[in-house]
Amino acid sequence: MEELITALTEGNSGLIAVVPEIDGLEGAGVTTAATTACADPRVRARFPSGIAWLTVGADPRQTLGDQLLERALEVSGGADPADWIEVLLTADELTAAPGDGLVVLDGVRAPHVSMLAMIVAHRASVLVTARTARGLPAGATVIRLPVRRWPLLDRLAAALRTRPARDPDLREPASRESAVHELLDAGLVRAELPDSVARLLELGAFAPDRNIPTGLARLLWARTAELTPIESDLTLAGLSALGLLAEAPDREVLLVPDVVRGYLRAALGPDGLRRVNRALVEAIDRGADGEASHEDVAYVLARLPGHLQRAGMNVAELVCDGGWIATKLQSFGVAAVEQDLELAATPLAGRLRRTLAQSALVLARSEHTAPAAPTAAASLAGRLHAVPATAREIAALLAESGSPWLECLWAPPDLPPPALLRIMGARGEERYGVAISPAGDWLVTADEICTATLWNLDGTVRTVLTGHEDDVTCVAVSPDGAWLATGSDDGTVRLWAPDGTQRHVLEGHADPVRHVVIAPDGSWLVSCADDLAAWTPDGRLLWRAAAGDGPAPVFAPDGGTLACRERAWTRDGLPAPLVPSPSTDPLAGVPVAEHFDRLGVTGVAFAPDRSWLASVSLDGSIRLWDAAPALPAPDEHLRRRPLRAIAAVADGSGLVTAGGAPGLTLWDEEGSARRTLHDQVMFTAVGSSGDGALLAATDDEGLLWLMDRHGEPLHQVRLRGPASAVALAPDGSWVATAAAGAVQFWHPDGRLSAETPMKEPGHLAMSPGGDWVAAGGESVVLLDPSGRRIAPALNPGAPVTGLAVAPGGAWVAASAADGVIRRWDRAGLLRAEMEEPAAAVGLAAGPFGSWLATAAEDAAVRVWDVRAGRCVAAIHLDAELAGCAWTPGGTRLYAVGPAGLYGFRLHLPR
């Protein structure tokens, strides 16, 4: 105890853990030790900001984020909650720095660095009680509690007045379990409390990976034994006195030792489990309209499908419901929804699961600017065009939610190819290689950040391999799956066990390792930099040879020889005959390969049976593909063509788009392409007069095209250079272009009327009356048709990325590279600043100046309430965006990007 108190009061680490000296032993007294230490006056004096307690227990650590944040704020010494939230969003490393507050995480099953780092990084100390020190960061102070006897067993024995025939070997889990089960077999009978014992056994039906919510235990007992709340509490008190369970001091949950829960499940047996699960489901259904604690709601949302299945009841009706999917997705993520759908095992559940897996990265994104729940639901509905009935269910719920939301008018053009099975990984870090295990049940990727990652096929991480000092460039798995190899820009090759244990470091290359290959019989491997090195699996160097740049080495099918760059060697390093082999492309005849250039694929691996393959990309994503899908006919609809500029015709007659692919495309409001004009020309910007009678566009050759409403050229004018923006007066009386260091002004007959020098102009926005235009570059300037400034230059804070003028001309808004949207009034006074998570690349002012739409670099469209200065709606997409535009009536919003044309309807609360 003194060692723990000393660590808390005098230690230099912000993270202290108390664990039993016997690894993995539960009920060893670590909670008692922490409680006693925290009550010590010296510890209380050390932490004047307070001590906050969070019981973790059986609950997965990732489900306790909100409660963890609450505890952290309690002892943060008055820190701004926004600062804490930022830390929780961005912390990924432990920065030990003792604080004046202490957070106790009690009963952690397996410590996890990132969760603890979130707290420690903001200068609050952390005390962890856990069964093991595995998973703690190297900087943690670990106090190992001596174990002479097993407190859990002694407590049960004293309460139940019996002991097992012999004491267990505490280092053997099976021995510990056998002793407790023997004790309970005898002790529960001797207790002569048949009703209480029956209620205790019923707790065995609760999911073993969750704490038992106290409210649900009461509901269950009201159903099975008609107990009143008071009678339930008396039953709980009696069972607690026997040491069989405890009520958490800070949460409305019951803590039952794992070894006791295992006994309860075994005692119930299959029939009893089915009966109690049915009773629990019925109790939850009957109590749905009553009061429920946060713990009750979280448990039901997490585990109700499993109870339905174990009760033999209809799972699909629940888990395929749009409302259930949207709610669970928001609370627990895509993987949890997929697990539910797997339980249902119906065709509809299968379609939903595949659809969610294809868009997992989009659906996993958090939203911290617009309301999170409506954004998640709207984004989900937008991905479910293959399952329209479920999409309609979610839309109906959004319509009743009382929140603004964006509805996709048609299938977004960025929906994944049908051959995609799953997308996973985290975007933002590059990946360079991938290999699949021989059993096809996991894969490993070579990552940019000095690591390699082992993944389950559902997208969850098995383990991360750390040790390289530069980017990992290549990976390979042995034929038996017992070990794997990674190569790195640090010039080393490392050999690993699949559990992440590093076995050997192979050194000797002076240059980055580009390839590593393992012989088909697993008896040797070769690494390739500017030279070749052959190794044994135990890390012994066999030989070296000069190589030079080129493709990866190739082993003969029997593993006896290796060929590389027109030469061949045996395992002993002797020259071998180079046997010509047909040069075959492993991706030949694989339909999905057509997508790889567009996706920036850097590595591909086939499953052992070649029925599926995995690819990794420069954007960090990992995709699993059906190798030979029955692909539908390609979608030739022009919504899928690359676009980068859009203009809405003010009279409501439609849209004009340009860029990304040759030609100008005219659309109606429903997103149907009327026709494409000049499909041999690559246009860079496009605009329209108010009545659509005059079109103006600029091309990549530096020409300004002036056309009639049908696209027939009226005039072509040579600009100073390729233009990035064009704007027309509503009445078509003049045109402005931004190109090569100047804003130029043109008559509709193509004559130059004025020119105003400007540093890097890239954006133009016309005033509604056509009497001035806003130009954005390193500053924002307002210019009349003669090129004269009519207001002081406006400071956007960073280079302008988007520009908009209110329909009434009352304000100008500019988005900048720093992610801030600034809004000025007509006189140039700054009226508001609104912050985006990422820079907006397109702005569009809505009708009456009430709304501002943004198309942002994080592939999201957002709508802002201008008067309130807050974001009211958003939708997440799966491709970059380039611009956006409202229809004149303001009910529809469009966006463009490399994937094509998006259409949305803004729904407002009734």
Side-chain angles (χ1 to χ4, degrees):
M1 182 57 64
E2 282 303 313
E3 183 184 2
L4 174 57
I5 291 173
T6 299
L8 285 168
T9 56
E10 302 176 11
N12 294 320
S13 173
L15 174 59
I16 300 165
V18 184
V19 301
E21 64 178 1
I22 298 177
D23 190 65
L25 180 67
E26 69 170 324
V30 293
T31 297
T32 301
T35 303
T36 303
C38 289
D40 189 281
R42 291 169 291 176
V43 174
R44 292 196 169 277
R46 167 65 184 81
F47 297 108
S49 294
I51 300 173
W53 193 282
L54 175 59
T55 300
V56 178
D59 286 335
R61 55 185 174 267
Q62 62 268 25
T63 67
L64 299 176
D66 289 345
Q67 297 187 56
L68 181 60
L69 177 58
E70 289 174 6
R71 305 303 194 278
L73 288 171
E74 287 177 20
V75 298
S76 64
D80 185 345
D83 294 340
W84 276 98
I85 293 171
E86 182 66 21
V87 169
L88 291 173
L89 293 176
T90 60
D92 58 3
E93 294 182 356
L94 179 70
T95 55
D100 291 334
L102 176 68
V103 176
V104 182
L105 303 180
D106 182 40
V108 178
R109 292 293 190 264
H112 189 259
V113 176
S114 62
M115 182 178 78
L116 303 177
M118 295 181 214
I119 299 260
V120 179
H122 209 267
R123 308 188 66 79
S125 294
V126 177
L127 173 62
V128 177
T129 71
R131 299 177 187 179
T132 178
R134 288 179 306 214
L136 289 171
T141 299
V142 179
I143 309 296
R144 299 189 184 276
L145 194 66
V147 180
R148 303 290 177 263
R149 298 183 59 81
W150 190 12
L152 171 62
L153 185 66
D154 289 345
R155 187 168 61 250
L156 288 172
L160 296 174
R161 296 172 295 154
T162 187
R163 291 196 69 86
R166 58 182 182 179
D167 287 340
D169 180 349
L170 296 184
R171 297 187 181 276
E172 292 294 331
S175 179
R176 299 196 301 258
E177 179 181 296
S178 177
V180 170
H181 286 202
E182 179 186 343
L183 185 152
L184 293 176
D185 276 336
L188 292 179
V189 174
R190 180 172 293 182
E192 298 181 349
L193 297 168
D195 291 340
S196 293
V197 170
R199 304 291 77 75
L200 173 67
L201 292 179
E202 289 169 349
L203 298 181
F206 283 88
D209 62 346
R210 294 272 170 167
N211 297 320
I212 300 172
T214 309
L216 292 185
R218 294 192 187 104
L219 269 182
L220 173 62
W221 291 344
R223 177 68 178 166
T224 58
E226 298 183 349
L227 295 189
T228 65
I230 292 177
E231 290 170 331
S232 291
D233 288 344
L234 291 173
T235 299
L236 288 173
L239 295 173
S240 179
L242 294 175
L244 295 162
L245 56 78
E247 297 186 62
D250 59 315
R251 299 173 57 198
E252 296 181 64
V253 294
L254 305 176
L255 309 175
V256 183
D258 287 353
V259 68
V260 174
R261 294 181 81 163
Y263 174 86
L264 302 181
R265 289 192 298 276
L268 276 176
D271 291 340
L273 282 169
R274 189 178 303 108
R275 172 181 54 80
V276 179
N277 273 285
R278 179 175 285 273
L280 179 57
V281 170
E282 292 171 349
I284 291 170
D285 185 53
R286 290 192 174 190
D289 296 330
E291 291 186 8
S293 71
H294 166 78
E295 308 289 355
D296 298 338
V297 173
Y299 181 93
V300 169
L301 191 57
R303 290 293 175 260
L304 180 56
H307 287 296
L308 284 166
Q309 184 194 46
R310 290 187 288 276
M313 302 171 76
N314 187 339
V315 182
E317 184 178 354
L318 173 71
V319 303
C320 294
D321 176 75
W324 175 268
I325 293 173
T327 303
K328 189 149 188 177
L329 179 69
Q330 170 72 7
S331 300
F332 295 107
V334 176
V337 179
E338 285 192 63
Q339 290 167 6
D340 286 354
L341 294 168
E342 187 175 12
L343 294 178
T346 64
L348 174 59
R351 289 197 304 275
L352 285 166
R353 189 180 179 203
R354 174 76 172 265
T355 303
L356 294 176
Q358 289 177 325
S359 295
L361 295 188
V362 177
L363 299 176
R365 283 161 51 191
S366 300
E367 176 62 35
H368 303 286
T369 305
T375 298
S379 302
L380 172 62
R383 314 313 292 178
L384 291 177
H385 281 267
V387 198
T390 307
R392 286 193 295 270
E393 291 174 355
I394 297 170
L397 291 172
L398 282 166
E400 297 172 359
S401 68
S403 297
W405 61 285
L406 288 167
E407 175 192 12
C408 288
L409 295 174
W410 52 76
D414 59 18
L415 288 180
L420 184 67
L421 299 172
R422 173 181 299 282
I423 187 170
M424 58 197 210
R427 284 184 169 145
E429 60 183 68
E430 297 180 356
R431 302 189 198 277
Y432 306 117
V434 60
I436 298 173
S437 70
D441 56 347
W442 54 267
L443 57 86
V444 57
T445 58
D447 304 335
E448 177 185 22
I449 52 175
C450 308
T451 63
T453 306
L454 272 72
W455 304 84
N456 295 310
L457 299 188
D458 64 358
T460 55
V461 174
R462 291 170 70 103
T463 190
V464 178
L465 310 180
T466 59
H468 282 292
E469 297 177 357
D470 208 333
D471 295 350
V472 177
T473 57
C474 49
V475 289
V477 181
S478 67
D480 61 359
W483 57 278
L484 59 147
T486 58
S488 169
D489 278 344
D490 66 11
T492 68
V493 174
R494 295 174 189 252
L495 307 184
W496 314 80
D499 65 359
T501 303
Q502 183 174 281
R503 292 182 172 179
H504 304 285
V505 180
L506 315 182
E507 299 178 310
H509 289 295
D511 301 291
V513 177
R514 291 290 172 248
H515 308 288
V516 60
V517 292
I518 299 174
D521 61 1
S523 64
W524 57 304
L525 68 148
V526 172
S527 55
C528 181
D530 282 350
D531 59 344
L532 290 180
W535 315 83
T536 62
D538 61 3
R540 181 168 54 89
L541 177 66
L542 292 173
W543 51 265
R544 292 187 183 280
D549 196 15
V554 178
F555 277 102
D558 63 359
T561 61
L562 173 104
C564 182
R565 301 162 196 175
E566 304 302 323
R567 299 174 64 190
W569 296 265
T570 67
R571 185 180 187 275
D572 297 325
L574 299 175
L578 184 64
V579 179
S581 59
S583 178
T584 58
D585 179 358
L587 295 176
V590 178
V592 299
E594 66 181 279
H595 304 290
F596 287 176
D597 286 343
R598 175 176 60 84
L599 298 173
V601 168
T602 55
V604 176
F606 280 86
D609 63 1
R610 297 187 68 85
S611 65
W612 61 275
L613 64 154
S615 67
V616 292
S617 300
L618 290 174
D619 68 356
S621 61
I622 306 160
R623 291 175 173 85
L624 309 185
W625 304 88
D626 188 344
L631 291 176
D635 183 356
E636 298 296 340
H637 197 289
L638 286 177
R639 289 174 187 158
R640 285 186 180 269
R641 69 180 303 182
L643 302 169
R644 71 180 185 192
I646 183 171
V649 181
D651 66 359
S653 60
L655 310 166
V656 188
T657 61
L664 296 176
T665 304
L666 307 181
W667 313 76
D668 64 20
E669 282 198 343
E670 302 301 322
S672 296
R674 294 171 176 166
R675 63 185 183 279
T676 297
L677 312 171
H678 313 297
D679 58 7
Q680 302 301 312
V681 179
M682 183 66 75
F683 291 97
T684 59
V686 65
S688 169
S689 62
D691 58 3
L694 181 64
L695 300 178
T698 58
D699 68 19
D700 60 355
E701 298 292 331
L703 290 178
L704 168 64
W705 293 57
L706 300 173
M707 297 165 279
D708 66 18
R709 67 171 66 247
H710 305 294
E712 292 298 322
L714 302 174
H715 304 281
Q716 289 184 347
V717 182
R718 176 66 61 181
L719 304 173
R720 293 168 56 104
S724 55
V726 63
L728 282 80
D731 62 2
S733 61
W734 59 281
V735 179
T737 58
V743 178
Q744 293 179 295
F745 298 83
W746 308 87
H747 294 291
D749 60 5
R751 289 179 296 115
L752 180 67
S753 62
E755 181 174 296
T756 301
M758 183 177 181
K759 195 168 184 179
E760 298 184 8
H763 301 272
L764 298 172
M766 184 65 67
S767 68
D771 50 348
W772 55 273
V773 67
E778 291 192 356
S779 62
V780 177
V781 296
L782 309 186
L783 306 169
D784 67 15
S786 68
R788 182 177 58 88
R789 290 191 182 186
I790 59 173
L794 310 176
N795 180 13
V800 171
T801 59
L803 199 60
V805 175
W811 52 261
V812 177
S815 57
D818 60 1
V820 178
I821 303 166
R822 294 169 175 84
R823 185 172 63 85
W824 300 268
D825 63 19
R826 176 65 176 75
L829 296 177
L830 182 64
R831 293 300 185 183
E833 292 186 347
M834 302 174 287
E835 191 166 349
E836 280 262 22
V841 294
L843 293 186
F848 313 115
S850 300
W851 307 108
L852 180 68
T854 61
E857 286 183 343
D858 61 351
V861 171
R862 295 183 176 88
V863 177
W864 300 75
D865 182 328
V866 172
R867 293 185 181 88
R870 61 186 177 88
C871 186
V872 298
I875 190 166
H876 294 162
L877 306 168
D878 198 25
E880 297 175 0
L881 297 171
C884 57
W886 290 94
T887 55
T891 58
R892 295 191 176 194
L893 174 65
Y894 302 92
V896 293
L901 177 67
Y902 302 82
F904 309 100
R905 177 181 288 110
L906 175 63
H907 291 268
L908 301 174
R910 296 187 180 93

